[in-house]
Amino acid sequence: MKPLVAVVGRPNVGKSTLVNRVVGRREAIVEEHPGVTRDRKFLPAEWTGRSFTIVDTGGWLTAGSSLDKQVSRQSEKAIRDADVVLFVVDSAVGITDDDAKVAGLLRRNAEKVLVVVNKVDSDRRESDVWDFTKIGLGEPYPVSALHGRGTGDLLDAVVSKFPPEDGPRAGSGAENAAGSDAGGEAPAVAIVGRPNVGKSTLFNRLIGDERSVVHDMAGTTRDSIDTLISTPDGDIVLVDTAGMRRRAKEAAGAEYYSMVRALQSLDRARCAVLVLDATEGITRQDQRLAERVDAAGGPVVLVLNKWDALDATARAALRLEVSDRLGFLAYAPVLTLSALSGLGVHKLLPALRNAIEASAKRVPTADLNRVIAAAQAAHASPGGRVLYATQGTVDPPTFTLFATKTVPGPYLRYLERRLREHFDFGPTPLVFRVRRRSS
């Protein structure tokens, strides 16, 4: 397991900026106002040949709303699991009451804590650093996360605290694996949907841990959170994303970056889980998001969450609504469940595995052309006749049809149905490209 480095501190001291500096790219969302980061975000990093995982956390508040308390609990868990804790403070503000209270909690594990005095942008601020020795956690490290000043010395100190490469590490091994860069060949599954439909609740239920903050306030999740989990059928990467409620060009600030991250996660995923709120029906926003999910090209699993809140009449009406308003996703399986109670959640992982396997299916060219020929013999095309077909790629399965002239869309859908029935493609989209025979 890679060593785990947790970055903690009160809101708006520059934790996410420091994380971005360490990983060398803008992975954590940064805004000038506090409270942008809420969930723990695990990112791969490396310094002087040592690989490790750095964990960005939300601002730690000793008092506040129920949401603030959940964010603080995320920080506390990160501290318990970490090999090294970077306690970030603000040189321009000095030691606040919240800093002092956080320091008091960290003294229980003082041997793995480094005090990082951020926003030391010039030599003139160097003298302010020594005030932070009053915290009682050792010599502070002056840095400017924004400009990179002092971060090399800080990382040297971080690496020196790591356990031997072949030795045991502190914290939870499962959590560290979950928080790794989710690398390797494990397929990524993006959990998407409108705000407050239960995406993070479902995510936490599937991984068996509170990695994402769950609150009844819409927009609680701000960034995409990746977690590698092991299943009986192999590893997959679950990606909890921010709720999408408007077009990206209409969003601003943290909401804009949250939406961009969610769309990036959707585009790189092998499969998508579109979560819908059964109690609200299929809204126009759901339809727009479903169109975007379909455009990503991967297989989709539809989840009707909060199913246990509906009676028999409402359930029947909702099924008809799904067929009517999301008919373009007719290939996608529809699961009914309750993420909060766990009802029906066991059906999701097998459905994801079936969808991923279907998306990777490849058929022999000879068999493909026999099915196409039989379909044309049964019902001739009103337009171009297909002379030859081949499967070019997978994820999703993509077919090139060589025809005498343009093949009408309805006839392509007929050929698609025949291929689905014969080759049992199941829950994955199929892509057709028609090339006209040259004169």
Side-chain angles (χ1 to χ4, degrees), residues 1-14:
M1 299 298 178
K2 295 179 182 178
L4 205 58
V5 178
V7 181
V8 303
R10 61 179 175 79
N12 218 31
V13 293

Side-chain angles (χ1 to χ4, degrees), residues 27 74 127-128 131 184 186 206 223 257 288 312 323 396 406 418 426:
E27 285 284 353
Q74 293 278 314
S127 59
D128 299 334
D131 289 341
L206 289 170
D223 210 342
Y257 289 110
R288 286 201 300 265
S323 298
T406 302
R418 293 295 296 266

Side-chain angles (χ1 to χ4, degrees), residues 112-261:
K112 64 179 185 181
V113 177
L114 296 175
V115 178
V116 181
V117 183
N118 192 25
K119 306 181 185 179
V120 183
D121 301 327
S122 66
D123 292 340
R124 289 176 297 177
R125 287 205 174 271
E126 289 280 357
S127 59
D128 299 334
V129 172
W130 300 109
D131 289 341
F132 291 91
T133 57
K134 300 174 185 176
I135 288 177
L137 288 169
E139 180 180 338
Y141 287 82
V143 305
S144 171
L146 184 62
H147 301 107
R149 190 172 188 266
T151 53
D153 292 338
L154 172 64
L155 288 171
D156 286 341
V158 168
V159 171
S160 70
K161 284 184 171 289
F162 288 166
E165 292 194 60
D166 57 349
R169 61 167 298 277
S172 165
E175 180 73 23
N176 194 43
S180 70
D181 57 354
E185 301 299 321
V189 176
I191 302 176
V192 299
R194 292 185 293 111
N196 219 29
V197 295
K199 299 182 301 300
S200 294
T201 304
L202 178 61
F203 175 79
N204 289 341
R205 173 72 63 175
L206 289 170
I207 69 173
D209 183 32
E210 292 187 7
R211 275 288 302 277
S212 291
V213 173
V214 177
H215 195 271
D216 56 9
M217 183 183 73
T220 300
T221 300
R222 292 283 178 79
D223 210 342
S224 296
I225 308 297
D226 296 18
T227 300
L228 177 68
I229 67 171
S230 296
T231 75
D233 297 314
D235 294 344
I236 63 172
V237 177
L238 293 176
V239 187
D240 186 22
T241 66
M244 291 180 274
R245 57 183 171 185
R246 66 184 76 188
R247 302 178 190 276
K249 63 184 180 182
E250 298 171 354
E255 183 181 9
Y256 170 78
Y257 289 110
S258 296
M259 186 172 296
V260 168
R261 295 290 171 81

Side-chain angles (χ1 to χ4, degrees), residues 189-200 202-203 224 238-245 258-259 261-267 269 271-277 285-286 288-294 296 299-303 305 329:
V189 176
I191 302 176
V192 299
R194 292 185 293 111
N196 219 29
V197 295
K199 299 182 301 300
S200 294
L202 178 61
F203 175 79
S224 296
L238 293 176
V239 187
D240 186 22
T241 66
M244 291 180 274
R245 57 183 171 185
S258 296
M259 186 172 296
R261 295 290 171 81
L263 293 174
Q264 289 174 339
S265 297
L266 176 61
D267 288 336
C271 183
V273 176
L274 176 56
V275 183
L276 307 164
D277 188 333
Q285 293 175 6
D286 289 327
R288 286 201 300 265
L289 182 52
E291 290 167 358
R292 181 61 179 82
V293 169
D294 187 45
V300 184
V301 176
L302 297 176
V303 166
N305 190 27
L329 292 177

Side-chain angles (χ1 to χ4, degrees), residues 338-381:
S338 171
L340 185 61
S341 69
L343 175 69
V345 174
H346 67 280
K347 299 180 291 186
L348 182 53
L349 290 179
L352 290 174
R353 181 56 57 184
N354 290 339
I356 292 169
E357 290 176 353
S359 181
K361 180 178 289 188
R362 186 180 290 274
V363 300
T365 301
D367 293 346
L368 172 63
N369 282 280
R370 276 194 291 270
V371 174
I372 293 289
Q376 293 185 114
H379 296 284
S381 170

